[in-house]
Amino acid sequence: MSPAVFLSVLLVFSCHQQVTSDSHVLRSRTGVGVVGGSSNTTLAMMSQNNNNDECDLVMNLSAADRCAFVKNTPDCNMEDSFINYLQVAFCLLRPNLTPLTITLCIIWLLFLFVILGLTASKFFCPNLSAISTSLHLTHNVAGVTFLALGNGAPDIFSAMAAFSHPHTAGLAVGALFGAGIFVTTVVAGSVALVKPFAVASRPFLRDVIFYMVAVFWTFLILYRGTTTLGETLGYLGLYLVYVLTVIISACIYNRQKHLMNRSVRNVAHIPAEFHSSDSSDDEVPCLNAGTIQQEYESEYRPLLPYSESTSQILLSSLNPVDNRKWRRKSWSWRVFKVLKTPLEVLLLLCIPVVDPDKEDKNWRRPLNCLQLITAPLMCVLFFQSGIYGDYMIQGQFPLWLLTFLLGLFLSAIVFCTTTNDSPPKYHPLFALLGFVVSAVLISAAASEVVSLLHMLGVVLSLSNTVLGLTLLAWGNSIGDCFSDITIARQGYPRMAISACFGGIIFNMLFGVGLGCLLQMIKTHSDVQFEPEGLLTWVLAVSLGLSLVLSFVIVPVCRFHLGRTYGIFLLILYAIFLVIAMLTEFGKIHIG
């Protein structure tokens, strides 16, 4: 089921439920009117029980009373976002414009997903790669730490934003579990369909076992409805154990490989038996994008030395379109590139990027000096959804103005002490600055996504869990889906399947662990969960079932993932989605 079809079905159900609800409210109000009651009386009675009310009750009121209810109900306050979407839906726009409201929200949601994906891929991940290179980390350590953080940044920050309130925790649970099911079925199944292959046995079993432990642990927390500080730290500790396991297994594998190379006289070829399904993921050749890019650019390097002026460097640095790539791409890619070019230019103005693979490390003196002004200013304006945007130091001097002046002073020093040709020794610090700014922006966009999905859940009378397992999970995972399929088509299916399981382990453990830890620091108490009925358990059981089936079927098939297994995984996801929708709309229930 495509996202467009799913949204159409939701829109039809929501319109039908709204008409039914409004007619019911109209009959109720008529009866109250005969007795002598009024809408003010209804609102007064509800305001007395504000502590027990939830924002979902707004759809049970008449259209005229919804705006006042949203403004007076604490659960309807959206302090973690720039826009109060509930007030936009119920106060700013007319009640008969609900389809238009949903359409505009979906368009804005897609734009937020573009911001998340673009910031993570173009700025967050490259800077993390530069930081790991500066720290001289091995590929194994960087892959399970910095690379995993870069790939899972949207999921992590979305989960942290959702865990900030108990009534939106269902979004985090639905997104993490929904993304887990989507990746382990749709993405893994698509990889098997595109390129049947023999999976590395020991890394595959390792990842599945760790992920099953994480899912079972999360299931226990949801069942009890609360988690303690010890359990939260245990979540983060479990990922550290996973990282150590990956590093130790890689060291053992490399040592065995080295000993076998020494024992074989002809070291030019390793025996075929060693390349069995037991081989490590490290045996998979990695696509070195930096080397390819260097070779590609060297063909177009001018024969005679040519130095650009400062203004030319600035203009070329702000141009996100590569003319050579533009001619080779399809028309759909060009249309999407044109649409997102203004956003890319704005991000380039504010977020520095360090590329260790380039000869000049992506040093752009005028742009980097400008980013010293815009990057700290962006952090102040976007941190915690702009809470410090209007902060006054001692009630007299605005914080953003102080940040601007400090950035201007620092920018002038860097501009006067550097040249356009070679980067300074402290240039790697720009990677740290870019990492911080992109993390702040991703966090702000994730908070907007969570608040917007909460509003859609209220308007469509849907639970946060179903929105998390569909829209939020799809939006955060669709990029990984296309990238993993592309890697598989290029002949690296093992790398793609490793990315499937390695990323979701990090997202689950850090998404739940870090989200709960921050909430405990904020509230100084244990985190309370509000499981949203049967759907939460359907989600948990479905993910556990998919992992158990993979744990059993893949070894039975001698770790060969063929097209039959890929089709089976896609059918399994379709069945899960149907059961989830039937459960959400009350067709499947207990008792």
Side-chain angles (χ1 to χ4, degrees), residues 122 296 322-329 333:
K122 297 291 186 180
Y296 183 71
D322 188 344
N323 294 328
R324 300 185 296 270
K325 183 183 291 186
W326 177 272
R327 291 193 294 265
R328 295 183 289 107
K329 293 296 184 178
W333 183 91

Side-chain angles (χ1 to χ4, degrees), residues 465-511:
T465 303
V466 75
L467 290 172
L469 71 92
T470 53
L471 295 181
L472 190 55
W474 290 341
N476 288 336
S477 304
I478 196 69
D480 296 335
C481 179
F482 286 120
S483 62
D484 290 340
I485 292 175
T486 301
I487 292 174
R489 284 178 176 173
Q490 292 175 347
Y492 304 100
R494 284 191 181 181
M495 186 186 300
I497 205 71
S498 299
C500 290
F501 286 92
I504 55 179
I505 294 174
F506 179 85
N507 296 344
M508 174 69 73
L509 294 176
F510 259 68

Side-chain angles (χ1 to χ4, degrees), residues 276-291:
S276 64
S277 61
D278 294 333
S279 61
S280 171
D281 292 332
D282 300 329
E283 185 65 20
V284 182
C286 182
L287 298 176
N288 194 338
T291 304

Side-chain angles (χ1 to χ4, degrees), residues 23 76 89 150 178 186 189 211 214 221 232 296 338 340 366 428 468 490 579 587:
S23 61
C76 295
V186 176
Y211 194 41
I221 291 177
T232 302
Y296 183 71
V338 170
K340 69 177 184 179
Q490 292 175 347
I579 294 176
K587 303 301 180 181

Side-chain angles (χ1 to χ4, degrees), residues 214-231:
V215 171
F216 181 72
W217 199 340
T218 308
F219 179 84
L220 291 179
I221 291 177
L222 292 175
Y223 180 77
R224 296 202 320 269
T226 184
T227 180
T228 61
L229 179 61
E231 290 178 334

Side-chain angles (χ1 to χ4, degrees), residues 7-292:
L7 292 176
S8 302
V9 173
L10 289 185
L11 186 59
V12 171
F13 270 100
S14 65
C15 292
H16 173 72
Q17 290 177 358
Q18 184 178 4
V19 170
T20 305
S21 175
D22 288 345
S23 61
H24 174 74
V25 170
L26 182 61
R27 290 194 298 269
S28 300
R29 284 172 55 82
T30 304
V32 174
V34 172
V35 178
S38 64
S39 61
N40 293 331
T41 305
T42 305
L43 287 175
M45 294 174 61
M46 286 191 167
S47 62
Q48 292 175 0
N49 299 321
N50 249 353
N51 293 331
N52 297 326
D53 288 337
E54 294 182 356
C55 202
D56 298 339
L57 298 176
V58 67
M59 298 306 295
N60 297 330
L61 302 176
S62 65
D65 297 334
R66 290 172 182 173
C67 180
F69 179 82
V70 165
K71 291 181 177 180
N72 296 325
T73 303
D75 278 346
C76 295
N77 293 332
M78 293 187 172
E79 299 176 353
D80 296 331
S81 63
F82 288 94
I83 303 172
N84 192 320
Y85 297 100
L86 288 169
Q87 291 189 15
V88 172
F90 296 111
C91 299
L92 184 61
L93 300 176
R94 292 183 177 181
N96 58 348
L97 296 179
T98 299
L100 176 61
T101 303
I102 296 175
T103 303
L104 294 176
C105 288
I106 294 300
I107 295 175
W108 177 237
L109 182 65
L110 294 176
F111 180 73
L112 289 173
F113 279 133
V114 171
I115 294 177
L116 285 171
L118 193 61
T119 307
S121 61
K122 297 291 186 180
F123 300 92
F124 193 75
C125 288
N127 283 316
L128 280 178
S129 177
I131 293 174
S132 63
T133 302
S134 300
L135 297 177
H136 304 289
L137 298 179
T138 63
H139 292 293
N140 293 309
V141 178
V144 296
T145 54
F146 285 103
L147 183 60
L149 176 59
N151 293 336
D155 304 87
I156 298 299
F157 285 103
S158 298
M160 290 167 56
F163 274 120
S164 61
H165 296 288
H167 58 272
T168 58
L171 275 174
V173 174
L176 293 174
F177 278 22
I181 298 176
F182 183 83
V183 170
T184 56
T185 55
V186 176
V187 179
S190 300
V191 170
L193 283 174
V194 170
K195 191 76 172 179
F197 66 103
V199 70
S201 60
R202 284 178 290 186
F204 176 80
L205 295 176
R206 174 199 67 205
D207 293 344
V208 171
I209 290 174
F210 269 96
Y211 194 41
M212 284 195 296
V213 172
V215 171
F216 181 72
W217 199 340
T218 308
F219 179 84
L220 291 179
I221 291 177
L222 292 175
Y223 180 77
R224 296 202 320 269
T226 184
T227 180
T228 61
L229 179 61
E231 290 178 334
T232 302
L233 296 177
Y235 253 92
L236 303 177
L238 181 60
Y239 189 75
L240 294 179
V241 173
Y242 172 72
V243 171
L244 292 176
T245 304
V246 172
I247 296 174
I248 293 173
S249 61
C251 292
I252 294 175
Y253 170 78
N254 290 330
R255 183 178 179 182
Q256 291 177 349
K257 179 180 175 181
H258 179 68
L259 292 176
M260 183 166 289
N261 285 337
R262 292 180 57 185
S263 62
V264 178
R265 292 183 179 180
N266 187 7
V267 295
H269 300 283
I270 300 176
E273 291 80 9
F274 197 71
H275 292 286
S276 64
S277 61
D278 294 333
S279 61
S280 171
D281 292 332
D282 300 329
E283 185 65 20
V284 182
C286 182
L287 298 176
N288 194 338
T291 304
I292 296 174

